[in-house]
Amino acid sequence: MNCEWCQSNNTTQTTKEAYWELPDGLKAIQIHDIPSIHCQSCGMNYIEESLVQDIEDHLFLIHTQDLPHSIGYDSLMNQPRILKKNYFRM
């Protein structure tokens, strides 16, 4: 896999944490253990855009008011959905 920043193929799969603003804009949560890519060449540790979109979509589909301020990625993605898909994405 090539780094999206420097195009090096010296990358490894890892995890990271991030703060994420909820769709209603009223609060942010901390998400732990998000799958990410770490580039040994440039030092970037980033979340792939497709995974960012999956998290954003999932946050639209669940009851976010029930979420704790800190949650693991797997726990977040296992939250029951109230809609089948994000109807707001074109």
Side-chain angles (χ1 to χ4, degrees), residues 23 49-61 77 81 83-90:
E49 187 61 34
S50 61
L51 188 57
V52 168
Q53 191 63 55
D54 289 345
I55 293 170
E56 292 283 331
D57 283 348
H58 194 68
L59 288 171
F60 270 110
L61 305 175
M77 298 309 280
R81 293 179 170 193
L83 295 171
K84 289 183 180 181
K85 69 178 191 169
N86 183 353
Y87 294 99
F88 299 105
R89 185 153 49 108
M90 303 295 164

Side-chain angles (χ1 to χ4, degrees), residues 12-86:
T12 56
Q13 289 280 128
T14 187
T15 61
K16 69 179 294 175
E17 64 181 43
Y19 288 90
W20 222 279
E21 184 177 351
L22 298 181
D24 61 11
L26 297 178
K27 72 176 183 177
I29 59 170
Q30 183 179 32
I31 305 173
H32 301 280
D33 301 322
I34 302 170
S36 64
I37 307 296
H38 181 260
C39 179
Q40 304 294 329
S41 297
C42 70
M44 289 299 292
N45 185 358
Y46 62 93
I47 304 167
E48 292 181 288
E49 187 61 34
S50 61
L51 188 57
V52 168
Q53 191 63 55
D54 289 345
I55 293 170
E56 292 283 331
D57 283 348
H58 194 68
L59 288 171
F60 270 110
L61 305 175
I62 63 174
H63 283 290
T64 57
Q65 56 272 50
D66 299 335
L67 291 177
H69 291 287
S70 181
I71 191 169
Y73 169 78
D74 289 334
S75 294
L76 174 67
M77 298 309 280
N78 286 325
Q79 294 289 314
R81 293 179 170 193
I82 55 175
L83 295 171
K84 289 183 180 181
K85 69 178 191 169
N86 183 353

